[in-house]
Amino acid sequence: EPEVTQTPSHQVTQMGQEVILRCVPISNHLYFYWYRQILGQKVEFLVSFYNNEISEKSEIFDDQFSVERPDGSNFTLKIRSTKLEDSAMYFCASSDWGNTEAFFGQGTRLTVV
Amino acid sequence: GQNIDQPTEMTATEGAIVQINCTYQTSGFNGLFWYQQHAGEAPTFLSYNVLDGLEEKGRFSSFLSRSKGYSYLLLKELQMKDSASYLCAVRDRGGGNKLTFGTGTQLKVEL
């Protein structure tokens, strides 16, 4: 069964460093998303991406964040100058149409120290 | 904006039926989703409603009333593996198809 894959599964980084979280969405999907979940809290929307551009972003997704689809398969989230409060599980998701369910990857646990 | 409410915790017995409620207020509704999330894992899609009524999918069913801003997830023949968090999420009419999640209902299934 097709699945969304994310790497790495766990990343530890020092405050102020840049991190890149990687995702391979399901191959025929057109819509891509990043969500995050701080430990013990709800899943929060960060950004959606369609047709090689951001279609919507939340207030969390400030200038510190950026997304890119560098090739036909990968979808990345870059966090510049990480802060302690960026520590969370980051989930990538994809859907084939906007009106269908989103499938989530297993997540990258980011720990900023 | 969106506001989604669901109970924080529920406990039920193996083999029983449990109903998890979700109420929402939204500026533009375009579907309600239920996901299951085991601790430390990704949300897994369970069910989706965009029109009023009941959607059945094996042991899981979900109901929607748009006029009341209300949905429930019904789990039948509960198994121990159903112990998890159940997330209600609303999609709005914005171009980004974003999902807004509730805080989740932690279900504990006991013998």
Side-chain angles (χ1 to χ4, degrees):
Chain A
E1 185 174 325
E3 60 180 14
V4 176
T5 58
Q6 292 184 241
T7 54
S9 56
H10 191 185
Q11 174 129 18
V12 180
T13 189
Q14 289 199 322
M15 193 168 52
Q17 295 297 304
E18 175 183 285
V19 294
I20 298 177
L21 310 184
R22 303 180 190 279
C23 169
V24 179
I26 295 173
S27 63
N28 61 340
H29 283 186
L30 303 174
Y31 292 81
F32 314 120
Y33 315 88
W34 284 101
Y35 290 81
R36 79 171 186 190
Q37 187 174 32
I38 295 170
L39 187 64
Q41 298 187 23
K42 63 182 178 181
V43 177
E44 299 175 291
F45 170 79
L46 292 177
V47 66
S48 57
F49 193 86
Y50 170 72
N51 201 26
N52 286 321
E53 61 182 23
I54 291 173
S55 46
E56 189 171 359
K57 60 183 181 179
S58 72
E59 59 190 23
I60 301 169
F61 194 89
D62 59 20
D63 292 342
Q64 179 195 9
F65 293 88
S66 62
V67 290
E68 193 177 38
R69 188 156 165 81
D71 53 44
S73 59
N74 290 284
F75 180 51
T76 62
L77 174 69
K78 182 189 291 185
I79 310 174
R80 287 181 281 275
S81 190
T82 49
K83 299 177 261 195
L84 294 176
E85 54 264 38
D86 294 327
S87 295
M89 183 75 95
Y90 288 80
F91 292 109
C92 175
S94 69
S95 61
D96 55 2
W97 286 85
N99 285 330
T100 58
E101 67 269 25
F103 291 86
F104 284 74
Q106 285 302 106
T108 294
R109 179 165 296 286
L110 177 65
T111 303
V112 182
V113 297
Chain B
Q2 316 269 15
N3 188 34
I4 300 169
D5 289 307
Q6 49 181 134
T8 305
E9 295 180 333
M10 297 183 73
T11 301
T13 305
E14 189 179 34
I17 299 172
V18 70
Q19 177 175 313
I20 302 174
N21 297 323
C22 171
T23 57
Y24 64 89
Q25 293 99 40
T26 177
S27 53
F29 177 83
N30 194 25
L32 189 139
F33 294 77
W34 285 95
Y35 281 82
Q36 180 191 63
Q37 187 179 30
H38 286 97
E41 297 184 9
T44 304
F45 170 75
L46 291 177
S47 187
Y48 162 60
N49 297 71
V50 66
L51 299 175
D52 291 352
L54 189 69
E55 292 285 338
E56 296 189 79
K57 204 173 179 183
R59 293 191 299 116
F60 298 90
S61 304
S62 59
F63 172 83
L64 176 67
S65 168
R66 288 172 296 170
S67 62
K68 294 181 180 176
Y70 168 68
S71 174
Y72 67 72
L73 179 70
L74 198 69
L75 292 77
K76 303 174 189 173
E77 301 169 15
L78 280 172
Q79 302 173 11
M80 298 297 288
K81 67 178 183 179
D82 296 329
S83 293
S85 185
Y86 290 85
L87 314 180
C88 174
V90 173
R91 185 176 60 205
D92 63 27
R93 291 192 176 276
N97 300 309
K98 75 174 185 184
L99 293 175
T100 301
F101 283 85
T103 52
T105 297
Q106 187 65 44
L107 175 66
K108 183 178 179 183
V109 180
E110 299 179 328
L111 290 171

